[in-house]
Amino acid sequence: MKTELEQAITASVKELFGLDVSVELTRPEEQFGDYATNVALQLSKQAGKNPREVAEGLAVRIRDSLAEKVASVSVAGPGFLNLTLTESALLAAAKADLPKPLTGQKWVLEYSDPNPFKPLHAGHLYTTLVGDTISRLVERAGAETIRINYGGDVGLHVGRSMWGIVNNLGGELPEKLANIPEAERPSWMGARYVEGTTADEDGRTTHDEVIAMNKRVYQVHADNDHESPFAQIYWTCRQWSYDYFPELYKQLKVKQFDRYIPESEITPPGIQAVTEQLAKGVYEESDGAVVFKGEPYGLHTRVFINGHGLPTYEAKEVGLILTKWRDYQFDRSIIITANEIEQYMAVVYKSIEQFEPELVNRSAHLVHGLVKLQGGIKMSSRKGNIITALDILQAARDAGAETGTNPSEETILAAVKYAFAKNRIGGDIAYDPKESVALEGNSGPYLQYAHARARSILAKAGEQAGAELTGLEPDERSLLRKVTEYTEVVERATNELMPHHICTYLYELAQKFNQFYEHNRVIGSGEREAPRLTLVRHYADTLRNGLELLGIAAPERM
RNA sequence: GCUCCCGUAGCUCAGUGGAUUAGAGUGUCUGGCUUCGAACCAGAAGGUCGUAGGUUCAAAUCCUGCCGGGAGUACCA
């Protein structure tokens, strides 16, 4: 509806003034109408008339040409045009399906990215939920989505974990791993990582041992060693992690990943590409390392291959990006990570731009902030005092239990997902266990409850379907107007890859309904009952659709 | 030092060129359940939109300086 009106008004401007502008409609306060545009203010200079004059001229034109859709047009303030839709146009907008502008496109989305051998901390939970929601958005818009999960199965943290594991087993004794119950594997490995890290940071002797472990892990990969006791431990524990991740995602009710790419897999192509481009002058040698000089582009210089000939994160990232490009030839590639990586990712992309510019054109790096505790303490898995993803869920359960409402697991997930999703992506989010899971106010549970209330009305009324919604009363129209905004909100959230717009909207929608519901009966309202049931159904369907886009369940009752 | 991000009500955040009164939630105070689910609704109080300039018919929103917070700043990721 919005787009149609915009095009029609753009055409009117062209006819009346001979000027090319792209008219954009906004949603004004309800008292002013359903749509508004400030195009007259923009045009007044070019048209050589005062803005109100321009607006009046356009108003006449719109009344004439859009009479079926627009019930009234008024000029307000300095020259705003306010449009009010006809009842039939409003109803048509409420019934309209969401458009699928990304149909035919292939999007590769990388997010979550937990490391094997390490526990998932609160930040992983955040990045996982953000990525899941964004991937749902683009999938809903018609794109083919490929969800990629990248993780470090080699590197210092693995050296530390292996030290902790070997130490705990009392030697390189892979057979003893069988003693660890399956259910305890993730927490057992998490504990070994903490031991390795703590020991590493405490003593020089241990540090040398950890470094040696790290090198042996690389050697396991180089030799494709699956036989030695050390290698058996490594592969077994790595697999434990890869078994655990899908289980966790299932528990979180997020979409499963299409592919896990371990660091070890993309390291060789990364080294190869950097070496090739070194010969072509994209990268250069400096102090024995291979670097990309970022300064000409306003960036930093970063090391891609270090003085020992080992690839750094940057070279690996080159390998990862090229692998995705080679395997998928995507239309868009999105990487979602915490913002501490932002600046060196810019260097990585700038370097790739020198030899694969089209790939870079199609790529974007989305960053979010950190999950912080009260008091601004950064969460880290490097120290012992980690807050894991599961701790967050447990905190939500505990807080939920305190409310005395016995929230279901579905509602706990809704609370956590919504608390993370409602903020604009980019800044840090503060995590207060009590507040973030509060089952009232602008929260996931509020929306679930609002939905369940509406469904309960429909259930009580039985399945009397589809009465026409005509003769709208003011409160009814107000609610229906809000429902029609949904399409535009989803469109905006998708264009900007900003799911929080949907949260803001759904909360406003639910409030609108609760207000309606407070003042108007549905069942037993005589001749309004049938049309009001249709209105409630529109509302409930919209709310459910929005919640599901956010990965939040919309139960019929709770 | 340099680069990037951020600074809106006590707290957590929307709003990022347009509408007399800058919006929510939470917290504080007040009112509303014999009536379709009160996890709700209605109302009050609470803001120099960090700060000083600039651009514009119009700035919380764009530009510049400054102040404050965070991140990065070559062989960790």
Side-chain angles (χ1 to χ4, degrees):
Chain A
M1 183 60 61
K2 184 182 165 210
T3 310
E4 294 167 50
L5 293 174
E6 284 172 342
Q7 287 168 356
I9 298 170
T10 298
S12 296
V13 169
K14 176 82 175 166
E15 287 168 34
L16 282 175
F17 304 102
L19 296 170
D20 286 306
V21 289
S22 118
V23 173
E24 283 181 26
L25 292 174
T26 57
R27 286 285 188 167
E29 284 179 42
E30 193 171 355
Q31 52 175 312
F32 297 123
D34 297 320
Y35 289 105
T37 177
N38 60 10
V39 68
L41 294 163
Q42 294 168 15
L43 283 173
S44 70
K45 225 168 218 176
Q46 291 180 67
K49 296 177 178 174
N50 78 50
R52 285 202 62 107
E53 211 177 319
V54 174
E56 294 290 357
L58 264 174
V60 170
R61 188 59 170 238
I62 292 167
R63 280 184 202 112
D64 184 46
S65 62
L66 292 171
E68 280 180 22
K69 289 173 182 159
V70 178
S72 73
V73 183
S74 63
V75 178
F80 295 103
L81 273 175
N82 292 322
L83 281 61
T84 302
L85 295 178
T86 60
E87 195 171 285
S88 63
L90 195 65
L91 193 60
K95 285 179 179 166
D97 289 331
L98 291 168
K100 296 189 178 293
L102 302 182
T103 301
Q105 292 192 17
K106 187 185 282 186
W107 285 52
V108 174
L109 301 115
E110 179 203 321
Y111 56 94
S112 193
D113 293 354
N115 288 322
F117 296 92
K118 274 169 83 170
L120 276 77
H121 54 70
H124 284 118
L125 179 62
Y126 183 39
T127 208
T128 300
L129 296 179
V130 167
D132 183 60
T133 307
I134 288 181
S135 67
R136 282 172 198 267
L137 275 181
V138 303
E139 191 164 54
R140 207 270 339 137
E144 177 193 350
T145 54
I146 295 141
R147 294 171 170 83
I148 299 286
N149 196 318
Y150 171 60
D153 63 337
V154 290
L156 189 64
H157 69 281
V158 180
R160 287 169 162 176
S161 285
M162 286 299 288
W163 186 92
I165 290 166
V166 169
N167 199 47
N168 181 275
L169 295 177
E172 295 178 16
L173 305 166
E175 64 278 5
K176 292 184 78 172
L177 289 172
N179 296 334
I180 298 150
E182 198 170 329
E184 289 171 25
R185 287 170 183 172
S187 59
W188 184 84
M189 283 179 61
R192 301 294 81 75
Y193 170 73
V194 170
E195 284 167 13
T197 302
T198 308
D200 185 17
E201 285 168 356
D202 286 352
R204 178 180 287 199
T205 310
T206 311
H207 183 65
D208 292 340
E209 290 172 17
V210 165
I211 295 295
M213 291 274 185
N214 187 21
K215 284 189 176 161
R216 288 178 68 190
V217 169
Y218 276 105
Q219 202 57 46
V220 164
H221 280 281
D223 299 344
N224 197 20
D225 175 5
H226 286 75
E227 301 304 319
S228 73
F230 183 82
Q232 284 184 43
I233 293 172
Y234 172 78
W235 292 114
T236 299
C237 289
R238 194 186 94 140
Q239 192 55 44
W240 284 3
S241 284
Y242 282 124
D243 289 342
Y244 173 60
F245 296 153
E247 239 172 86
L248 179 70
Y249 296 137
K250 190 176 167 192
Q251 188 185 339
L252 293 174
K253 299 261 172 49
V254 298
K255 301 245 181 173
Q256 292 292 342
F257 287 83
D258 297 292
R259 183 173 172 189
Y260 287 82
I261 303 183
E263 199 174 309
S264 57
E265 180 185 329
I266 49 76
T267 300
I271 295 171
Q272 190 190 339
V274 170
T275 307
E276 277 173 25
Q277 297 304 323
L278 171 65
K280 294 181 182 170
V282 171
Y283 302 99
E284 49 192 280
E285 291 196 45
S286 174
D287 291 339
V290 177
V291 305
F292 179 78
K293 298 267 189 189
E295 282 76 10
Y297 310 98
L299 302 168
H300 298 127
T301 292
R302 304 284 317 191
V303 171
F304 283 65
I305 296 177
N306 70 23
H308 303 292
L310 294 175
T312 62
Y313 170 84
E314 287 81 348
K316 295 169 185 171
E317 193 65 41
V318 169
L320 175 60
I321 292 169
L322 291 175
T323 296
K324 289 190 229 171
W325 180 236
R326 182 200 65 204
D327 290 355
Y328 302 111
Q329 292 288 310
F330 47 74
D331 293 287
R332 290 290 286 166
S333 165
I334 305 292
I335 299 176
I336 301 163
T337 71
N339 56 20
E340 55 195 350
I341 294 176
E342 188 168 20
Q343 286 181 71
Y344 65 71
M345 197 64 115
V347 177
V348 169
Y349 271 119
K350 185 54 76 178
S351 77
I352 296 174
E353 193 180 295
Q354 311 307 311
F355 56 95
E356 279 287 3
E358 184 55 24
L359 183 171
V360 177
N361 279 342
R362 298 184 185 194
S363 299
H365 181 210
L366 259 52
V367 298
H368 61 254
L370 301 169
V371 177
K372 288 187 166 180
L373 291 168
Q374 277 235 312
I377 303 159
K378 179 181 168 183
M379 291 193 184
S380 164
S381 64
R382 297 192 180 165
K383 307 282 183 192
N385 62 339
I386 50 169
I387 295 184
T388 66
L390 295 180
D391 290 338
I392 299 282
L393 291 179
Q394 191 54 48
R397 286 189 201 102
D398 293 345
E402 280 180 31
T403 65
T405 56
N406 292 320
S408 65
E409 191 66 14
E410 237 173 12
T411 296
I412 293 300
L413 274 178
V416 174
K417 286 185 177 185
Y418 191 83
F420 282 178
K422 72 179 180 181
N423 290 341
R424 170 180 265 270
I425 296 167
D428 293 346
I429 62 168
Y431 177 66
D432 178 339
K434 281 183 187 164
E435 205 174 294
S436 71
V437 300
L439 307 182
E440 54 192 10
N442 184 2
S443 72
Y446 171 98
L447 294 177
Q448 285 189 326
Y449 180 72
H451 176 260
R453 264 171 38 146
R455 290 291 172 204
S456 127
I457 295 168
L458 295 171
K460 194 154 288 183
E463 280 302 312
Q464 353 173 344
E468 269 304 305
L469 196 44
T470 53
L472 287 170
E473 293 178 359
D475 282 3
E476 296 166 357
R477 191 186 196 286
S478 181
L479 177 56
L480 188 63
R481 176 190 188 271
K482 197 70 193 174
V483 168
T484 63
E485 286 178 31
Y486 181 62
T487 316
E488 293 149 33
V489 169
V490 170
E491 190 180 12
R492 181 179 180 195
T494 307
N495 287 342
E496 297 178 7
L497 301 178
M498 287 285 176
H500 77 285
H501 291 307
I502 293 174
C503 295
T504 306
Y505 166 77
L506 290 180
Y507 184 64
E508 288 169 2
L509 176 68
Q511 276 189 319
K512 203 81 188 166
F513 174 76
N514 284 336
Q515 286 161 17
F516 173 82
Y517 182 72
E518 190 75 15
H519 302 299
N520 302 279
R521 288 200 65 82
V522 176
I523 295 171
S525 57
E527 62 179 16
R528 294 314 296 161
E529 176 172 324
R532 281 182 181 174
L533 285 170
T534 302
L535 176 60
V536 171
R537 178 167 286 117
H538 274 306
Y539 155 75
D541 288 348
T542 303
L543 187 51
R544 179 172 59 199
N545 195 297
L547 285 172
E548 285 173 353
L549 254 185
L550 296 170
I552 296 173
E556 297 283 313
R557 61 176 77 94
M558 48 192 298

